[in-house]
Amino acid sequence: MAVPARRDTRMRVSEYREWAAARPDDERWELIEGVPVMMSPAKGRHQRIVTNLVKYLDDLAERRGCGAYPGLAILSEAMDDYAPIPDVVVQCGAPPEDGYTSDPLLVAEVLSPSTLVLDRGRKTEFYQTVPSLAVLLLVHQNEARVEVWRRAPDWTVEVAGPGTVIDLPELDGGLSVAEIYARLTL
């Protein structure tokens, strides 16, 4: 008896982009290991942290000709089956026209209980393949704790807690942990 050959049904970024362009505007999808994954709406606490990050990072980034954007997909030539959408992306130069960037300077992920394993695992591995990425912030939701991953030249990790200012020489400034969690009770 012959066994049917198994077909690899994973999407590559080019297929995904074409597929995602045809989706309704109110749907948000990211590509993870070749599979489109629909993103559910974030809860209020998550949104507040994202808003704070965009506000303070954009103020820092603007002085360097950069901007902080929520919802940009990240691309890497090293992994053609990923197009994750982190919570905040700092990119220099003109804003991307199509919602994708392959040259982020900084990425911030706000960790949710439902995505914690993926965000701290495969996504972190993916982000490390992006040559332009200098800083990755993994921001915890329920405690004042930020994991600061920095390319220096190998990746290092520091943890920033209450009362700490995260030094961001890439943006000629710093971001206080208090600013990230402003207007929230921990």
Side-chain angles (χ1 to χ4, degrees):
M1 171 195 260
V3 176
R6 188 170 182 164
R7 183 177 176 270
D8 185 1
T9 58
R10 295 182 314 154
M11 284 187 185
R12 298 286 167 223
V13 168
S14 59
E15 296 168 292
Y16 163 77
R17 289 178 74 163
E18 186 176 312
W19 176 86
R23 305 301 309 159
D25 288 343
D26 61 340
E27 293 181 4
R28 286 187 28 153
W29 294 82
E30 59 184 351
L31 185 66
I32 305 296
E33 294 183 334
V35 178
V37 177
M38 186 177 216
M39 299 173 69
S40 63
K43 294 187 169 118
R45 181 176 203 78
H46 186 113
Q47 289 294 351
R48 169 50 49 202
I49 294 169
V50 170
T51 299
N52 292 341
L53 285 165
V54 169
K55 174 182 175 182
Y56 292 108
L57 288 173
D58 197 53
D59 285 346
L60 288 172
E62 184 179 19
R63 294 181 250 166
R64 299 238 6 228
C66 306
Y69 305 96
L72 286 181
I74 305 294
L75 303 177
S76 172
E77 288 184 18
M79 294 179 76
D80 191 37
D81 59 351
Y82 267 75
I85 300 176
D87 292 299
V88 181
V89 176
V90 173
Q91 178 195 319
C92 298
E97 293 182 23
D98 62 0
Y100 296 87
T101 184
S102 57
D103 62 350
L105 176 64
L106 180 148
V107 164
E109 285 276 11
V110 179
L111 303 175
S112 298
S114 62
T115 64
L116 180 68
V117 172
L118 177 62
D119 290 344
R120 292 186 81 229
R122 292 292 287 152
K123 276 190 180 180
T124 297
E125 291 172 11
F126 167 81
Y127 294 136
Q128 292 175 359
T129 71
V130 179
S132 65
L133 186 64
V135 179
L136 170 63
L137 303 176
L138 297 180
V139 181
H140 292 253
Q141 264 190 77
N142 297 319
E143 64 177 310
R145 177 184 169 91
V146 180
E147 296 173 30
V148 182
W149 293 68
R150 189 177 307 277
R151 186 186 307 266
D154 295 324
W155 286 93
T156 62
V157 182
E158 295 176 13
V159 176
T164 305
V165 173
I166 300 166
D167 187 33
L168 295 173
E170 303 82 3
L171 297 175
D172 299 325
L175 175 65
S176 77
V177 172
E179 290 170 330
I180 294 171
Y181 296 96
R183 299 173 57 188
L184 291 173
T185 303
L186 296 173

